[in-house]
Amino acid sequence: MNEKNLKKKLGRPRKAENWTSELLQERARNYFDKCDSRTRQVVTKDGILQELHPEPYSIEGLCVYLDITRSEFAAWRKRSDDLGRRAEMIHLKITANRVSGALDGTQNSSFAQFMLKNNNPADYKDKV
């Protein structure tokens, strides 16, 4: 017998083998809609009200929603096909949400600055 056939595969099987750019776009849109429709309860003198309180977009939140790892998403962004371009555009949308949230005060600006520097090191690096 061939030794290659006897070798065991380790880890869980990959779920993300059949992803297309259309499927990624659809699932990402569902994630963004879920974030945008988040509400919270607010107590007022008239009672308890539901107030729209959008959740900030994040790569981590998207990956949990898609049931993939951050490294899988990063590998998609590096691809030169349509899936890679779609993944890059989704990443840009998440970054734009973080920047606009920091500028309009809906997100903590210090945390947004930290996330931008550490998740986009080529683009948002402090100059010495």
Side-chain angles (χ1 to χ4, degrees):
M1 277 194 149
N2 193 347
E3 279 188 40
K4 290 181 181 179
N5 295 336
L6 296 175
K7 201 171 195 179
K8 281 185 159 182
K9 290 186 177 184
L10 301 177
R12 71 172 177 88
R14 297 186 65 176
K15 290 184 177 182
E17 291 182 1
N18 297 325
W19 283 89
T20 63
S21 64
E22 292 81 18
L23 180 61
L24 177 60
Q25 176 69 29
E26 176 189 337
R27 299 275 173 85
R29 187 174 296 130
N30 293 343
Y31 167 73
F32 296 139
D33 290 344
K34 178 187 84 71
C35 290
D36 292 339
S37 64
R38 184 177 79 165
T39 60
R40 67 177 173 185
Q41 292 184 343
V42 179
V43 179
T44 65
K45 64 180 181 177
D46 299 327
I48 298 174
L49 301 174
Q50 291 289 333
E51 178 182 78
L52 192 62
H53 186 67
E55 178 181 344
Y57 304 158
S58 68
I59 298 294
E60 294 78 11
L62 176 67
C63 290
V64 167
Y65 187 82
L66 299 177
D67 195 25
I68 61 170
T69 63
R70 286 189 72 211
S71 59
E72 284 176 294
F73 187 76
W76 290 351
R77 286 182 56 212
K78 292 178 184 176
R79 292 172 58 160
S80 61
D81 59 357
D82 197 38
L83 182 66
R85 184 180 182 327
R86 182 73 61 200
E88 183 63 28
M89 295 307 293
I90 290 168
H91 185 266
L92 288 173
K93 182 172 182 166
I94 292 170
T95 302
N97 176 264
R98 188 171 292 138
V99 170
S100 63
L103 291 173
D104 68 12
T106 58
Q107 296 180 30
N108 183 317
S109 60
S110 297
F111 184 71
Q113 182 181 16
F114 171 80
M115 292 298 288
L116 289 168
K117 285 180 185 177
N118 290 295
N119 290 331
N120 304 306
D123 301 331
Y124 301 98
K125 198 84 160 160
D126 280 338
K127 305 290 186 244
V128 180

